[in-house]
Structure formats: structure tokens, C-alpha cells
Amino acid sequence: MLEKQTLGFQTEVKEILNLMIHSLYSNKEIFLRELISNAADAADKLRFEAIAVPSLYENDTELSVQVDFDPKARIVTVTDNGIGMTRQEMIDNLGTIAKSGTREFLASLSQNAARDAKLIGQFGVGFYSSFIVADKVTVVSRKAGVAPEEAVRWESQGMGEFSVENTVKTTRGTEIILHLKEQESEFLDEWRLKTIIRKYSDHIPLPVIMKKKEKDKEENEIVNKATALWNLPKNEIKEEDYNEFYKYIAHDFEAPLLVMHNKVEGNQEYTNLLYIPARAPFDLYQRERHHGLKLYVKRVFIMDDVEQFLPFYLRFVKGVLDCNDLPLNVSREILQHNRQVESIKSGLTKRVLTTLEKIAQEEKEKYEIFWDQFGSVLKEGPVEDTQNRDLIIKLLRFSSTNSGDIKQRVSLDEYILRMKPQQKHIFYITADSFSAAEHSPQLEIFKKQGIEVLLLHDRVDEWLTMHVTEYQGKTWQSVSKGKLDLDEIGESKEEKEEQKKGEKEFKDLIASVKEALGERVQEVRISHRLTTSPACIVIEDHEMGLQMQRILQAAGQVVSQAKPILELNPSHPLVIQLNQQQADKEKLSNWSSVLLGQAILSEGGHLDDPSQFVQQLNKLLIK
Ligand code: ADP
Ligand code: MG
């Protein structure tokens, strides 16, 4: 027999414990939901393994979880006859946190308890929430199929360490004993415990049992409904039931934003109960992030986190999928190359997308919340899922010069409806913030002509324009790329002639500025884009956008930087004055640099030599 070991918690566990005890205090009753949830998971795992090895049931096939309390000993006990844990499993599962991104998550937390409570809820609190109410927790477990003498006892006061030692346990499964803190006597009460169980665990597919004492007799009472919620007819389910079930499977505190519950019959038979959370999880952008679907086959739990039934860009969807036609022994490998799986996936994807479309039309405020939380992820959709490309594009929203308000976003359909008769392209500008985009000098002529421009300030936007090149026959055109098509932006004949005249008049100045700037620019030319700014920079049509260049550089990639084209505004006093005073070579050179510098700055770029820029500016100011 192995001797008693005392081990330290992983650093992250210590931090979580500390945080949880402080920030979740007002939600402390959720410890019971978490422990019952673990018991239900343990029952699911046993049922699953027993498909291949029926002897694991050891003649005890009625799986349940029992909640007891003892006011004298001041303990609450949660006992299940599920899969149980070995010594090593206890050390690993109850001493570390395996979730990737935990460290980053912890670093993102503040000392603001209310905010942290919500975030920590999204993270999933689990077993460690026991320590919100208990100052000592004892776990005794025997793994299914293992001898009674090889059971293990785990104990901790939730400070820095825990102990494990072997013990004897005849019954299979796990018993969790919470030694309640002095101020937590409220949980030593039958009514209180029952209320919590019904509130959070009514619709888990596992009976939660409490002992009922009547006179001298003791009887078992099933406290929850213990029916799998997704199998009930929709008209028997209240919104509250849906919400609590969501909180149970998602370990969330907040109600979900959307519920999708469908029974599909015919070729494929399955039931889905899908949710969209009201808040994005902390690890939404991590590639290895878990998916949120639980797979059941004919009401038997098969596995968690299945990713085969929804595309990656819908990874925020949580819920349950219960299929009738898959074999019980289905594995992740089988799921990967299965036509039935493909067809269910395509059905679920359509369902989520059409639900979102409906919300976008009928409940705009709700859609706003959705878009704020998950919009950036949905933008991966048209590229990943070419089959539903147009449906997804319909759901995308962008800021636009139409409103000048970051929150009032438009769809491409709305944009196309508002296009001018002569307009061929969807015009956009990219920048790293809404206000940088909104104030770009390149927009000036578009504002003057009343042409709407999309203000793209999300990091994925430029990538999107590169990969989704066309929609409803319209292609994208960046307002800071290439030469402007004056007809398309609706310039009149007179305006065009004026432009031509300008080009002649400033021919010499253009040449001198180009000479002064040398290799720093690719070209200098007269601008048709500007009304109030003296200068702006643009790049060639085929070049990578400046914002994209910066993103890639920040990510450590080597980008061959396109040299900018400097455009000057022929109606701006600075440019006119410069044209008249070309003879002063030093002044011309300083002005050229300063104009280029401010054009780069107002576009959100960085100067290669900021102090030189300042010196040149100061020289001009002194004069
Ligand atoms: P999660 O349930 O999200 O994995 P928890 O902190 O709730 O996180 O539990 C950690 C792990 O401990 C579980 O994944 C499971 O492996 C193990 N565990 C907890 N409770 C039980 C139990 N009653 N029976 C068997 N294993 C359990
Ligand atoms: Mg858990």
C-alpha cells in the first residue's frame, strides 16, 4: 500500500482558490451545482465505459448522486456511484488545472470582485468552489473495477497543499465531504439544500437523492426532476428551465442570449439544445480552445467538447446534441470521417445561422450584444464555410461613415442599397481604431460626395477583405489604395477639368517634392481625395494595406514594406504657398518631409525618425 503523501497545489490552483473565495462569495451556493455536475459527469463516464466493459457496473446499475448533511458534525456530503478516481487521477484532477490559457486568464483579472465573478464564472469554477463554503474538504473515491483497498482519500484545507492516502471503500464512486466554515450553517438545512438542487440541477439526467426522515423511517427522495431537458416537449419547458440548464452545462452565472431547441426527424434523427452565451469566454481566440457541445447517442452520454458538429467559427455555441443514428461506440476518429456527422453538422450550422439572421432582423438590440461578443469570430465564417458564405456575409456588421457612431453598424446589404448609381465598389478604410478610421484624410472626398465608406477597425477586417473578394457582384475598394476613379465617386465635368488644370499647375512642385523625399516615397502626385487636409499617403491597388502590414509586423513577421505614394491637395493653402516658393530649396525640403510625416501620422502609422520630424517642423515654425 502506498503511504500518505502531501503535495502542493499548482500555482494556478492557489490563485483560483484565493480569487474564488473572495469574488464568488455572493454566489456561494453554486458549489453544490458544481459538485452535482461532476457527479453527473462521473455517471456519464461510467455508462460510457460500461458499454465496452459491462462488469464495471458491479451489479449496481442505478446511477445517482446523494446529498446528505449532518448539523452536529457540520458537514455536507455529496456521494455518487459513478466512475470514481484512482490515486493519480485525484492528484492530477484535484491539484492542477489543465485548461490552456489559465495563466493569461488569471493575469487578466482585476481586483474588482463583481467583474471577476462574471469572468470566473465563464472560466468554469468546478470542484474548487467547495472551498467557498468549506474550510476542509475530504474526497474518498474508488474507481470502477478497482479493489476496495485501493480506494483513495484526498484532503485539503484549500490553502497551499493537499494530502492523498490509500483507504478502504466498498462502494464504487466518489464521496465529497465538506466541512463547513463556521458562518455557513445555512447549508445544514434540508429545505435550503433542496431549493438549491431544484434551482440548478432540476434537469440534469441523473437523480439527486436526499434522505427523508419520517418518524423512525428513513426514505430516499428524488429531489430533482432528473429528466434530460432536451427530451421534453418544448411546450413543457419554461424559459427558466432552459436558462438553468444552460448555467449547468456552461458553468455560467448569466442566462444565455439565445436558445435553440429542435427535434429533427426523418433521414437523420437527432435533438439539439444549443445556446449562445451572453458573454464571450476568455479563451475564444485560442486555437486549441474547447468546443462546447456534449454528444449523446440515444440519451447515453458519449463525450464532451465535440468539435465535429459545428464549424470552428461557431465555437462559441454551447449545448447538447443527442443523436439516434450513431453507434454507441462512436469515437472521435469515427466522427471525423462520417457522412452522417457531416449532414448533422450542416443542419446545425444552418440552424444557428438562420436563427441569428432572424434575431438580426427582429431583435436588433439582442443582435448588437451578440455582435459585440462574437462578431469578430463570425467574420472567420465566410472563409471557412464557403457553402454558407452569403448567409454569413449577411450577418456581418461594420461601422460606417453613414452614422459616425461606432455602435451603429451596417450590413453589406444595407450598404449596397445606399450605393450611388455610378458606384461600382464597396468602399472601405482600415485603421486600428474607430476614430482613426473615421478621421482619415482619405475619406474627405467621399464625405463631400456623400458616398458611404465602411470604417474597418477590427483586426480581422483587412484579412476578410482579402479573402472574401466579392459580394452580390460588388468588389471591395480601399479608399487609400490606387488611383481614384473620378466618375465613380461622382465628380462633375467641371471638377474633373479643375483637377486637370491643377495637375499642370503643380507639375514642377510635384517633381521637386519627389526629389526632396527621394527613396522615402514611391511617387508624389496631386490628390483627388482631399478637401481639408494638405496631404495623405496611399499605396498601389495590389499592395498589402498599411494596417495589415502593421499587424503582421507586430506579430513578428517580415513584411516587405510597400513605399507609400504621397498625394498633395492642390487647393490647400500650404500646398499653394509651397508652389509659389519653390526656389527656397531648404524650405521646400523641410516642408516635403513635414507633409509626408503628418500624412503618415494621420493614417495611424509610425515615423521612422520622429525627432527629425520635430526638428524640421520647428524650423518651419520659427520662420
Ligand atoms: P471540470 O468538471 O470542468 O473538469 P472540476 O474542477 O469540476 O472541472 O473537476 C475536475 C476533475 O476532477 C474532473 O474533470 C474529473 O476528472 C474529476 N472529478 C471531480 N469530481 C469527480 C467525481 N465526483 N467523480 C469522478 N471524477 C471527478
Ligand atoms: Mg466540473
Side-chain angles (χ1 to χ4, degrees):
M1 196 186 257
L2 284 164
E3 52 202 87
K4 180 166 175 170
Q5 269 178 297
T6 301
L7 298 160
F9 282 123
Q10 183 195 25
T11 321
E12 284 89 332
V13 174
K14 280 187 254 176
E15 284 181 46
I16 287 276
L17 277 170
N18 191 16
L19 262 159
M20 199 148 48
I21 292 166
H22 294 110
S23 55
L24 290 191
Y25 196 72
S26 52
N27 283 303
K28 57 190 173 181
E29 62 187 31
I30 54 110
F31 78 89
L32 195 54
R33 173 189 82 184
E34 294 299 322
L35 296 183
I36 291 175
S37 147
N38 286 347
D41 291 348
D44 279 341
K45 282 182 202 155
L46 177 65
R47 274 193 210 103
F48 178 66
E49 294 203 1
I51 297 170
V53 190
S55 63
L56 288 177
Y57 275 129
E58 305 169 15
N59 295 324
D60 174 14
T61 53
E62 301 225 341
L63 302 188
S64 66
V65 52
Q66 183 163 332
V67 178
D68 296 298
F69 66 100
D70 180 343
K72 276 208 208 88
R74 299 186 49 78
I75 56 173
V76 169
T77 316
V78 179
T79 313
D80 68 64
N81 56 352
I83 189 80
M85 284 178 275
T86 64
R87 184 171 181 137
Q88 192 56 45
E89 283 170 339
M90 281 216 189
I91 294 173
D92 294 341
N93 298 337
L94 309 182
T96 60
I97 297 176
K99 274 180 208 128
S100 61
T102 302
R103 197 175 293 262
E104 293 83 342
F105 166 74
L106 285 168
S108 76
L109 292 178
S110 62
Q111 301 304 316
N112 175 340
R115 183 179 154 269
D116 289 352
K118 284 192 173 141
L119 289 172
I120 245 189
Q122 288 280 313
F123 178 78
V125 284
F127 167 77
Y128 300 110
S129 62
S130 316
F131 289 100
I132 308 174
V133 296
D135 48 21
K136 186 166 87 177
V137 178
T138 310
V139 182
V140 184
S141 190
R142 175 166 80 75
K143 176 108 179 180
V146 163
E149 305 74 52
E150 283 182 47
V152 190
R153 177 192 171 88
W154 179 104
E155 196 161 85
S156 174
Q157 299 183 340
M159 309 298 263
E161 52 187 34
F162 61 90
S163 66
V164 277
E165 63 189 311
N166 279 39
T167 182
V168 180
K169 183 176 189 291
T170 49
T171 52
R172 175 195 64 226
T174 305
E175 181 181 8
I176 306 212
I177 305 154
L178 306 177
H179 306 265
L180 295 187
K181 292 178 186 170
E182 206 149 325
Q183 65 273 30
E184 306 302 344
S185 307
E186 62 182 282
F187 297 110
L188 298 168
D189 175 83
E190 181 180 336
W191 185 247
R192 178 86 169 100
L193 291 172
K194 278 185 177 165
T195 311
I196 302 173
I197 293 168
R198 290 198 182 111
K199 177 168 174 196
Y200 295 107
S201 312
D202 217 15
H203 286 289
I204 65 163
L206 184 74
V208 183
I209 291 170
M210 281 186 77
K211 281 204 202 87
K212 198 162 83 178
K213 290 178 195 104
E214 255 171 43
K215 288 173 198 147
D216 313 323
K217 275 198 298 189
E218 246 187 17
E219 246 178 89
N220 280 345
E221 180 192 357
I222 299 179
V223 180
N224 64 341
K225 292 209 181 78
T227 44
L229 185 70
W230 63 92
N231 283 320
L232 296 179
K234 274 169 118 167
N235 57 12
E236 283 176 26
I237 306 176
K238 293 193 291 275
E239 184 181 346
E240 209 179 289
D241 298 330
Y242 277 130
N243 290 353
E244 291 309 330
F245 186 73
Y246 163 77
K247 291 180 191 169
Y248 157 76
I249 56 160
H251 306 271
D252 202 343
F253 291 101
E254 284 178 275
L257 191 66
L258 282 180
V259 186
M260 290 160 271
H261 185 194
N262 310 81
K263 208 179 211 88
V264 176
E265 274 153 5
N267 251 347
Q268 297 283 345
E269 293 199 358
Y270 63 87
T271 303
N272 66 263
L273 175 51
L274 305 182
Y275 294 96
I276 294 182
R279 192 181 297 270
F282 73 99
D283 56 353
L284 187 59
Y285 293 99
Q286 258 154 27
R287 274 273 136 186
E288 68 273 35
R289 151 178 180 79
H290 289 313
H291 291 244
L293 277 199
K294 271 179 189 289
L295 175 66
Y296 286 74
V297 171
K298 299 186 194 78
R299 279 160 287 290
V300 178
F301 169 79
I302 305 296
M303 61 183 107
D304 267 317
D305 304 331
V306 283
E307 72 259 18
Q308 285 83 0
F309 291 93
L310 279 173
F312 193 63
Y313 69 93
L314 295 179
R315 58 190 177 273
F316 49 83
V317 175
K318 307 224 164 174
V320 172
L321 174 66
D322 192 343
C323 300
N324 273 349
D325 312 309
L326 289 171
L328 278 171
N329 62 354
V330 55
S331 63
R332 278 183 206 266
E333 290 66 41
I334 294 176
L335 288 178
Q336 259 151 28
H337 317 278
N338 184 302
R339 283 199 21 232
Q340 278 176 319
V341 172
E342 276 306 312
S343 117
I344 296 174
K345 177 178 179 179
S346 125
L348 292 183
T349 305
K350 277 256 156 56
R351 176 147 304 125
V352 174
L353 294 176
T354 48
T355 306
L356 285 173
E357 196 187 8
K358 194 160 167 263
I359 297 298
Q361 277 163 15
E362 294 168 13
E363 294 178 75
K364 290 215 159 38
E365 274 172 32
K366 218 179 209 185
Y367 196 73
E368 285 278 304
I369 300 177
F370 165 78
W371 186 259
D372 274 338
Q373 297 296 319
F374 303 108
S376 301
V377 180
L378 202 67
K379 286 180 190 160
E380 299 168 10
V383 181
E384 183 189 342
D385 182 359
T386 46
Q387 234 176 345
N388 291 303
R389 179 183 173 277
D390 282 16
L391 188 51
I392 306 166
I393 294 178
K394 268 187 195 312
L395 294 170
L396 303 184
R397 296 290 180 271
F398 303 98
S399 304
S400 138
T401 52
N402 187 54
S403 69
D405 177 346
I406 185 168
K407 286 276 177 195
Q408 289 204 358
R409 308 182 188 93
V410 306
S411 68
L412 287 187
D413 288 332
E414 290 166 321
Y415 181 94
I416 289 172
L417 270 180
R418 283 193 291 261
M419 277 170 72
K420 300 278 177 201
Q422 80 284 359
Q423 192 184 337
K424 296 191 282 269
H425 294 94
I426 299 168
F427 288 110
Y428 71 93
I429 186 156
T430 51
D432 57 10
S433 72
F434 173 76
S435 67
E438 194 192 15
H439 297 124
S440 292
Q442 286 94 338
L443 291 181
E444 288 170 7
I445 186 70
F446 292 88
K447 285 185 179 156
K448 181 182 148 220
Q449 302 288 39
I451 295 179
E452 183 171 358
V453 179
L454 298 179
L455 306 171
L456 308 185
H457 53 92
D458 185 352
R459 291 172 77 87
V460 303
D461 284 339
E462 191 154 354
W463 172 86
L464 184 71
T465 63
M466 285 157 63
H467 289 88
V468 181
T469 49
E470 172 275 341
Y471 178 65
Q472 304 291 346
K474 306 281 185 288
T475 52
W476 300 93
Q477 174 64 52
S478 162
V479 302
S480 50
K481 280 188 185 177
K483 283 219 159 90
L484 269 194
D485 179 340
L486 296 179
D487 292 323
E488 185 176 6
I489 58 169
E491 293 271 77
S492 66
K493 220 168 150 195
E494 294 80 51
E495 282 165 322
K496 281 193 277 185
E497 297 212 324
E498 189 73 11
Q499 291 285 358
K500 274 216 190 93
K501 226 176 78 200
E503 265 161 40
K504 268 199 207 119
E505 210 180 303
F506 289 85
K507 207 165 156 235
D508 293 342
L509 177 68
I510 294 296
S512 323
V513 174
K514 168 68 181 133
E515 199 188 314
L517 293 174
E519 289 303 299
R520 294 168 65 190
V521 292
Q522 180 179 325
E523 191 191 332
V524 180
R525 65 190 182 203
I526 284 297
S527 184
H528 308 305
R529 292 171 223 264
L530 302 173
T531 58
T532 47
S533 302
C536 70
I537 54 170
V538 298
I539 52 172
E540 299 277 27
D541 254 331
H542 61 268
E543 308 264 28
M544 183 189 293
L546 297 163
Q547 173 66 7
M548 191 70 170
Q549 289 183 20
R550 283 194 289 271
I551 290 174
L552 292 179
Q553 268 167 346
Q557 296 197 32
V558 185
V559 196
S560 68
Q561 249 180 340
K563 266 189 240 157
I565 297 165
L566 178 68
E567 291 194 348
L568 301 179
N569 177 359
S571 55
H572 195 279
L574 269 179
V575 179
I576 294 171
Q577 205 185 78
L578 200 57
N579 196 28
Q580 289 156 357
Q581 303 175 0
Q582 282 184 59
D584 185 344
K585 283 288 168 218
E586 198 200 331
K587 190 171 168 192
L588 183 99
S589 157
N590 283 336
W591 267 119
S592 302
S593 281
V594 167
L595 285 173
L596 175 63
Q598 53 169 265
I600 293 174
L601 286 176
S602 61
E603 184 274 330
H606 298 288
L607 298 176
D608 290 338
D609 192 346
S611 65
Q612 193 195 13
F613 173 79
V614 172
Q615 278 170 26
Q616 285 167 324
L617 185 63
N618 288 345
K619 268 189 207 152
L620 294 169
L621 288 175
I622 288 165
K623 284 189 183 164

